[in-house]
Amino acid sequence: MNIPFNKPYMTGKELWYIAQAHHNGWLAGDGGFTKKCNAWLELRTGARRALLTHSCTAALEMAAILADLQPGDEVIMPSYTFVSTANAFVLRGAVPVFVDIRPDTLNIDETLIEAAITDRTRAIVPVHYAGVGCEMDAIMDIAARHKLLVIEDAAQGIMSSYKGRPLGSIGHLAALSFHETKNIISGEGGALLVNDPELAERAEIIREKGTNRSQFFRGQVDKYTWVDIGSSYLPSELIAAFLWAQMEEADAITQCRLYIWQAYHDAFVDLEQRGKVVRPRVPTHCEHNAHMYQLLLPSLEKRTAFIAALKTEGIGSVFHYVPLHTAPAGRHLGRAVGELRHTLDISDRLVRLPLWLGLEKYQIEVIRQVIAATEW
Ligand SMILES: *Cc1c(COP(=O)(O)O)cnc(C)c1O
């Protein structure tokens, strides 16, 4: 048997759209396919402005520039996340301030944020883990009272919502990922969502190497020139063409993923009742996108044995994250508030199961049987 942990899904239309881009003779960024993708994101999220980038990392870096951070400014975020969440701000000289996660959703514990605020705090970065929304009402309220920017790391959050509002549409800025391990993909890829209208114009400039090229093309200025700091954050049309094929199928992809997620969820009821695993928790006010199916095991030793047992049967399973505040760079560049007890605990016990389009119901049953029958 061979059930890989991930297998990127392709709709079948990607090459056709890439051929169209080829035929159109427009290969650089911001051609017709990029515009279609941006418009789709604006329609689906309600964001004021959506700008495709070459990665979510790039979108986070743009957000960090837009936040106008000075060296020594602080940005509050979970430690249980991917490195880019922190690195984007560190690149601007800011200090990531790590707080603990909630043991249920594994999202930043909103009740710990206020105690982490100092007079250097400029922004909060909630990460929507597994596409399940953070407690955004509480977070936006704290941000408003302390005049902080909220930047959603919605890398995993496309097609999810919190109290009916799409993830990525609630903070001032948000970053999405289209990396091949995410739900909607283009190999590498991402987008910046700008919800604060005051940041929209500068976002375009930063993405276009610090020039007013976008305004020039729209005929709004008569000279195209260097006006701000920036870099090249936009993807090629070939990538946007690929992504457009995925966006067209985004509803169907999400439905299929939810079906697989639910099959796992039903399969592990018994194991959870016997106290062997804890299944994911999704609050009723959060609609998720089945980005991930993860289990919590009783201990690090059990998890190591679990992953090895599945590997013996040809089934791929993985764990993440090394808490950023314990990582070599995080220890020097960031600051932790409190013990981060749940972060340390969860990072030892969480395991992710295969979840990709094409995974069959019988394969999920095989995975269930292997987990139920094997010593781990
Ligand atoms: C995947 C991911 C990123 C990085 O996305 P890229 O598109 O690979 O740059 C950032 N944050 C989180 C939470 C992610 O899951």
Side-chain angles (χ1 to χ4, degrees):
M1 193 184 346
N2 179 25
I3 306 179
F5 169 68
N6 187 45
K7 200 165 155 186
Y9 172 72
M10 282 168 261
T11 68
K13 275 184 132 183
E14 286 83 359
L15 287 178
W16 165 238
Y17 287 143
I18 288 173
Q20 284 188 19
H22 178 273
H23 175 79
N24 295 342
W26 186 322
L27 305 179
D30 280 343
F33 282 107
T34 305
K35 290 200 172 94
K36 271 160 117 84
C37 292
N38 288 343
W40 185 91
L41 285 168
E42 286 164 11
L43 185 74
R44 298 303 292 252
T45 65
R48 169 65 65 113
R49 201 83 178 77
L51 297 167
L52 284 198
T53 56
H54 53 69
S55 63
C56 177
T57 301
L60 288 165
E61 287 179 18
M62 287 179 66
I65 296 174
L66 286 165
D68 250 336
L69 301 172
Q70 303 305 312
D73 282 350
E74 296 178 350
V75 179
I76 296 172
M77 64 183 66
S79 168
Y80 193 69
T81 181
F82 187 64
V83 290
S84 296
T85 315
N87 249 341
F89 299 94
V90 169
L91 282 169
R92 310 248 58 84
V95 178
V97 173
F98 300 115
V99 304
D100 207 1
I101 51 171
R102 300 165 51 114
D104 53 357
T105 57
L106 316 187
N107 280 330
I108 189 167
D109 185 339
E110 68 283 357
T111 66
L112 301 178
I113 292 174
E114 209 141 19
I117 293 175
T118 70
D119 55 7
R120 295 306 305 264
T121 308
R122 295 290 172 267
I124 307 170
V125 186
V127 179
H128 303 299
Y129 184 75
V132 176
C134 296
E135 285 309 317
M136 292 307 292
D137 279 349
I139 292 169
M140 294 310 290
D141 176 63
I142 294 166
R145 281 190 283 108
H146 295 271
K147 298 189 170 40
L148 306 175
L149 214 55
V150 174
I151 300 160
E152 295 174 68
D153 183 337
Q156 304 173 9
I158 195 162
M159 308 292 283
S160 291
S161 61
Y162 166 82
K163 298 187 180 173
R165 303 167 68 191
L167 298 188
S169 71
I170 306 168
H172 302 91
L173 295 161
L176 303 177
S177 176
F178 305 119
H179 185 265
E180 74 166 37
T181 52
K182 303 303 200 293
N183 290 20
I184 306 297
I185 62 173
S186 57
E188 304 280 351
L192 178 73
L193 302 183
V194 185
N195 300 314
D196 180 343
E198 290 188 8
L199 298 173
E201 189 174 303
R202 189 162 184 234
E204 278 186 351
I205 290 168
I206 289 165
R207 178 168 165 274
E208 269 286 14
K209 300 98 180 162
T211 72
N212 57 0
R213 191 161 188 254
S214 306
Q215 291 165 299
F216 177 69
F217 278 141
R218 287 197 297 263
Q220 292 166 340
V221 292
D222 58 6
K223 275 200 300 288
Y224 157 36
T225 185
W226 182 20
V227 294
D228 201 340
I229 63 166
S231 188
S232 188
Y233 287 120
L234 66 173
S236 149
E237 268 294 279
L238 301 179
I239 296 293
F242 188 108
L243 184 61
W244 178 244
Q246 296 265 323
M247 285 181 171
E248 281 190 328
E249 296 294 322
D251 290 297
I253 289 170
T254 307
Q255 282 313 308
C256 285
R257 294 189 73 100
L258 284 164
Y259 179 83
I260 295 166
W261 192 98
Q262 193 59 48
Y264 273 130
H265 213 51
D266 296 342
F268 297 126
V269 171
D270 182 50
L271 223 50
E272 186 173 73
Q273 276 167 358
R274 285 166 37 215
K276 302 261 286 177
V277 303
V278 174
R279 298 178 303 158
R281 298 285 185 262
V282 180
T284 51
H285 56 274
C286 292
E287 218 173 299
H288 74 111
N289 60 0
H291 172 60
M292 202 185 292
Y293 198 87
Q294 76 277 14
L295 293 172
L296 294 178
L297 304 186
S299 67
L300 175 60
E301 293 68 34
K302 294 256 188 220
R303 183 180 71 181
T304 307
F306 179 99
I307 292 173
L310 264 61
K311 191 165 176 233
T312 306
E313 299 296 327
I315 301 163
S317 63
V318 301
F319 64 84
H320 70 181
Y321 299 103
V322 175
L324 296 183
H325 74 288
T326 67
R331 285 207 307 266
H332 294 117
L333 300 167
R335 175 164 69 79
V337 177
E339 298 294 310
L340 280 72
R341 183 165 64 89
H342 297 303
T343 300
L344 294 170
D345 174 46
I346 299 293
S347 77
D348 276 350
R349 298 196 291 117
L350 182 135
V351 63
R352 302 173 61 184
L353 298 179
L355 204 176
W356 36 269
L357 263 67
L359 187 67
E360 302 279 349
K361 202 146 189 202
Y362 82 87
Q363 292 175 304
I364 294 173
E365 176 55 18
V366 168
I367 294 170
R368 185 194 70 76
Q369 285 178 17
V370 168
I371 291 171
T374 323
E375 202 61 52
W376 47 269

